[in-house]
C-alpha cells in the first residue's frame, strides 16, 4: 500500500502540468474620449460651486497702521541751513575727506577763510534727500562716503585749488559753479579762464577801437571833400583877381 501511494504521488516520466496557456489575440484601442461640447463646458463653468470666503469679524485682529517717522528737529535745522547755503553761495565744491587730522583740518579752514571760502559739514543722510527733490539732483552721486563742502559767495576756484595742493588728504570730486555742474578736470579748466574784469576790459577796448575806426572812416570822405573845395576856391580866387593886384598868398 505504501508503494502504491508513492507511485501515485511521484511524478511519472514525461508528466506535463495540467495548466495550459491559451493565447488570445490583442485588440487595438480604437475608441478615444470625445471632447466635451463647448456649451457643456460653459454650463459646468457657470454652475461650478465656489465656496464663500471666510469673513473675519471686525476687531478680531489688530489693525496694522504704518508708522510715519517724523524728522528730528536737528535734521530739520540742518536741512534749513543747507537750503540757505545753496541759495546764497555761487560756488559749492564737494571734497572727499580721506582721514584728515583735526590739526590739518583747522589749518585748511584758516587758509580757505583768507580767500572767503567756508568749510561746511553736512551728513549724507541730510544732503541726499535734500538734493533729490531740488534742481541740484545731479549732484547726488557726489555725496558718497565722508565728504566736505567748500562754499563761497563768489566763484574762487583758483584760490581753492591752490590751497588744496597742500592738503593731500582732501580729494576734489566736483563742484557746482553758478548752477553749472563741473568735474574736477572741469574746475581746473575753469581756473585757467581770465577774470571777468579783464574780459570786460578787452571787450571795452575792442568796442572802442571799432568805434574809433568807424568814426575815422565816416570823417574821411567829408574831410577830403572839404580840402578839395578849399583848393577849388583858392584857384577860382586867383584866376578872378587882376593882374597887377597882389595875390592873397603874397599879401599874407
Amino acid at each position: 500500500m505504501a508503494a502504491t501511494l508513492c507511485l501515485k504521488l511521484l511524478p511519472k516520466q514525461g508528466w506535463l502540468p495540467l495548466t495550459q496557456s491559451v493565447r488570445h489575440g490583442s485588440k487595438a484601442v480604437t475608441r478615444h474620449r470625445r471632447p466635451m461640447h463647448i456649451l457643456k463646458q460653459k454650463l459646468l463653468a457657470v454652475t461650478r460651486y465656489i465656496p464663500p470666503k471666510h469673513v473675519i469679524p471686525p476687531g478680531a485682529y489688530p489693525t496694522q497702521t504704518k508708522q510715519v517717522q517724523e524728522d528730528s528737529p536737528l535734521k530739520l535745522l540742518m536741512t534749513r541751513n543747507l537750503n540757505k547755503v545753496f541759495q546764497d553761495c555761487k560756488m559749492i565744491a564737494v571734497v572727499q575727506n580721506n582721514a584728515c587730522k583735526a590739526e590739518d583740518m583747522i589749518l585748511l579752514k584758516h587758509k580757505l577763510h583768507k580767500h572767503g571760502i567756508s568749510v561746511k559739514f553736512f551728513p549724507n543722510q541730510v544732503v541726499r534727500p535734500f538734493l533729490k527733490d531740488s534742481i541740484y539732483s545731479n549732484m547726488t552721486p557726489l555725496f558718497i562716503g565722508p565728504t566736505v563742502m567748500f562754499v563761497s559767495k563768489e566763484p574762487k576756484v583758483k584760490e581753492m585749488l591752490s590751497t588744496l595742493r597742500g592738503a593731500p588728504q582732501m580729494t576734489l570730486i566736483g563742484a557746482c559753479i553758478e548752477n553749472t555742474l563741473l568735474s574736477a578736470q572741469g574746475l581746473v579748466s575753469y581756473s585757467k579762464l581770465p577774470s571777468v574784469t579783464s574780459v570786460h576790459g578787452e571787450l571795452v577796448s575792442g568796442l572802442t577801437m571799432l568805434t574809433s575806426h568807424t568814426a575815422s572812416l565816416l570823417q574821411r570822405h567829408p574831410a577830403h571833400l572839404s580840402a578839395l573845395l578849399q583848393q577849388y576856391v583858392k584857384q577860382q580866387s586867383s584866376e578872378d583877381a587882376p593882374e597887377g593886384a597882389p595875390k592873397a598868398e603874397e599879401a599874407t
Side-chain angles (χ1 to χ4, degrees), residues 86 92-94 128 131 136-143 149 174-176 181:
F86 273 86
I92 302 174
V94 183
R128 293 179 69 89
L131 296 176
Y136 307 99
S137 58
N138 293 333
M139 295 183 63
T140 306
L142 300 179
F143 292 90
M149 289 195 301
C176 179
L181 185 61

Side-chain angles (χ1 to χ4, degrees), residues 8 46 88 94 112 126 143 156 166 175 184 206 233 241:
K8 289 183 179 180
V46 172
D88 298 342
V94 183
L112 292 173
V126 177
F143 292 90
K156 297 183 178 180
V233 170

Side-chain angles (χ1 to χ4, degrees), residues 94 142 157 160-161 164-165 171-175 177 181-193:
V94 183
L142 300 179
V157 181
M160 181 184 65
L161 292 177
L164 284 176
R165 290 191 188 99
T171 304
L172 182 63
I173 304 175
I177 306 297
L181 185 61
L182 298 175
S183 61
Q185 186 62 34
L187 288 171
V188 175
S189 303
Y190 183 87
S191 63
K192 296 178 181 179
L193 295 176

Side-chain angles (χ1 to χ4, degrees), residues 71-139:
D71 295 335
S72 61
L74 178 60
K75 187 175 181 180
L76 294 176
L77 179 61
M78 296 177 71
T79 304
R80 195 179 303 114
N81 294 337
L82 183 63
N83 186 20
K84 186 177 180 182
V85 167
F86 273 86
Q87 288 181 355
D88 298 342
C89 300
K90 294 182 180 180
M91 186 189 76
I92 302 174
V94 183
V95 182
Q96 188 175 9
N97 184 7
N98 298 319
C100 183
K101 296 181 180 179
E103 296 81 2
D104 298 337
M105 182 61 69
I106 294 174
L107 184 60
L108 181 62
K109 285 183 180 181
H110 180 68
K111 291 180 180 179
L112 292 173
H113 184 71
K114 292 181 179 179
H115 303 291
I117 303 174
S118 303
V119 180
K120 299 293 183 180
F121 296 90
F122 291 99
N124 295 338
Q125 293 80 4
V126 177
V127 179
R128 293 179 69 89
F130 170 77
L131 296 176
K132 185 178 179 181
D133 301 330
S134 65
I135 60 176
Y136 307 99
S137 58
N138 293 333
M139 295 183 63

Side-chain angles (χ1 to χ4, degrees), residues 226-242 247-249:
S226 177
L228 292 177
L229 291 176
Q230 290 179 3
Q231 185 66 24
Y232 178 74
V233 170
K234 289 180 181 180
Q235 291 178 0
Q236 290 296 114
S237 61
S238 61
E239 291 177 0
D240 294 341
K247 296 181 180 181
E249 295 178 358

Side-chain angles (χ1 to χ4, degrees), residues 43-85:
L43 182 62
L44 291 176
V46 172
T47 58
R48 186 179 60 180
Y49 174 73
I50 301 176
K53 295 182 179 180
H54 181 64
V55 181
I56 301 174
Y61 297 98
T63 57
Q64 296 180 358
T65 58
K66 295 183 179 180
Q67 297 180 358
V68 180
Q69 185 177 3
E70 298 182 356
D71 295 335
S72 61
L74 178 60
K75 187 175 181 180
L76 294 176
L77 179 61
M78 296 177 71
T79 304
R80 195 179 303 114
N81 294 337
L82 183 63
N83 186 20
K84 186 177 180 182
V85 167

